[in-house]
């Protein structure tokens, strides 16, 4: 038995005037997904437990078969996994943004989308500076993509690490334009955080403000990355191995590092697809081809496509419709064709909605279609927010999807 799960990230939405009251999933021309719906089962599900913000990390962890309430420890640790950084249970992994600070305010949480090459030089300089200055410096900066980096802080014990992981820090994208002192004090900053953390943030400015990289950026009319901001910390997750839990070999195809990180922790094969960018310009056709190949030697393949989510964030309705149509034509169609004649089950669902009118994720239920090659489906005829209500699937937590598929619980 083969299993394929298609995840068009953020594709579900609200009715849009521009689409005559339809949602992008309703408006898109998707003959292959429609066939799946007609011959399969429809319903709603939700991948985001109540206590969590609807991030792609939490939601996709559910779809991959793991309850976030049991296993989610934060975004930073998952990114460390995707970057191949080895951490222990004494480590706390912070997200480290290179930001632009102006007059002690958050001028830009991504430092003008600084390049990875520039940022790598800055992270190296920070390691040199702090290691040289403090004998007891127990941290290390790791450069990632553009403005997204990590700072790993080593605690004396795993207990200390767990305590530190739970303390409040502020996501920099939530405090655009705000005063930085006010966001590192009062109810916005847990005073139990080691003093060193705040010190690193403020002292980074001394290293970065007049750095050659930033001088050049300013000369070229770009924003300087003149401070780092630490946030979103967590301890190394201990996800069980997918095969131990479900008895199946799994692979994931995605252009998003965060999801590669979850897959790495769960023991998935991470399949890199040339041209998979995690953006509108992703090579849909290549993703379809690699998914077909991956299904030849894996029991389960997750195919995640980020483009509809990006279109939602950009409030670009036309691009969202286009992304869904591309997924149908170049991924769902060819993959299902390749499985003809075999026993297989397929599912399609977004991780969360990213409505174009909102421009960010919401926690609403998402539509789900399950198809099985050996079952006749229900009354659901199409994959969208309203059509699935005619289907027969009970609404269950998203993390149960994998066991529902395996145990024919639909
Ligand atoms: Zn997402």
């Amino acid at each position: 038995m083969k299993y394929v799960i298609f995840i068009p990230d953020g594709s579900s939405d609200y009715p849009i005037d521009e689409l005559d009251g339809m949602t992008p999933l309703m408006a898109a021309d998707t003959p292959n997904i429609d066939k799946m719906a007609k011959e399969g089962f429809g319903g709603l599900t939700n991948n985001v437990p109540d206590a969590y913000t609807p991030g792609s990390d939490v939601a996709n962890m559910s779809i991959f078969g793991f309850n976030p309430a049991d296993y989610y420890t934060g975004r930073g640790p998952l990114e460390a996994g995707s970057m191949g950084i080895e951490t222990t249970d004494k480590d706390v992994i912070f997200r480290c943004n290179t930001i632009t600070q102006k007059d002690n305010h958050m001028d830009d949480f991504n430092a003008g989308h600084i390049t990875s090459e520039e940022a790598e030089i800055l992270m190296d300089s920070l390691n040199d500076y702090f290691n040289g200055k403090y004998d007891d410096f127990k941290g290390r900066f790791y450069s990632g993509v553009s403005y997204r980096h990590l700072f790993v802080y080593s605690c004396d014990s795993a207990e200390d690490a767990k305590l530190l992981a739970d303390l409040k820090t502020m996501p920099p994208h939530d405090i655009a334009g705000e005063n930085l002192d006010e966001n590192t004090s009062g109810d916005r900053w847990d005073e139990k955080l080691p003093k060193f953390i705040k010190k690193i943030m403020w002292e980074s400015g001394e290293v970065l403000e007049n750095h050659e990289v930033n001088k050049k950026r300013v000369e070229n009319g770009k924003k300087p990355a003149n401070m780092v901001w630490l946030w979103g910390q967590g301890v190394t997750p201990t996800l069980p191995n997918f095969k131990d839990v479900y008895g199946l070999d799994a692979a994931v195809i995605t252009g998003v590092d965060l999801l590669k990180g979850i897959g790495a922790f769960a023991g998935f094969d991470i399949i890199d697809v040339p041209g998979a960018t995690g953006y509108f310009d992703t090579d849909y056709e290549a993703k379809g081809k690699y998914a077909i190949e991956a299904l030849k030697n894996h029991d389960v393949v997750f195919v995640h496509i980020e483009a509809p989510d990006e279109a939602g964030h950009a409030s670009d309705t036309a691009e969202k419709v286009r992304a869904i149509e591309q997924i149908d034509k170049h991924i769902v169609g060819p993959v299902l064709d390749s499985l003809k004649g075999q026993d297989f089950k397929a599912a399609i669902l977004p991780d969360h909605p990213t409505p174009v009118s909102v421009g960010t994720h919401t926690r609403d239920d998402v539509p789900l279609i399950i198809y099985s090659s050996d079952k006749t489906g229900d009354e659901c005829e199409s994959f969208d927010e309203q059509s699935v209500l005619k289907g027969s699937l009970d609404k269950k937590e998203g993390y149960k999807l994998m066991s529902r598929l395996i145990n024919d619980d639909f």
Side-chain angles (χ1 to χ4, degrees), residues 9-10 54-57 59-60 259 304 306 309 313 351-352 354 361:
D9 197 305
S56 291
D57 43 4
N60 282 286
L259 302 196
H304 167 264
E306 176 74 357
D309 177 67
H313 285 293
D351 46 351
H352 52 73
T354 310
H361 307 173

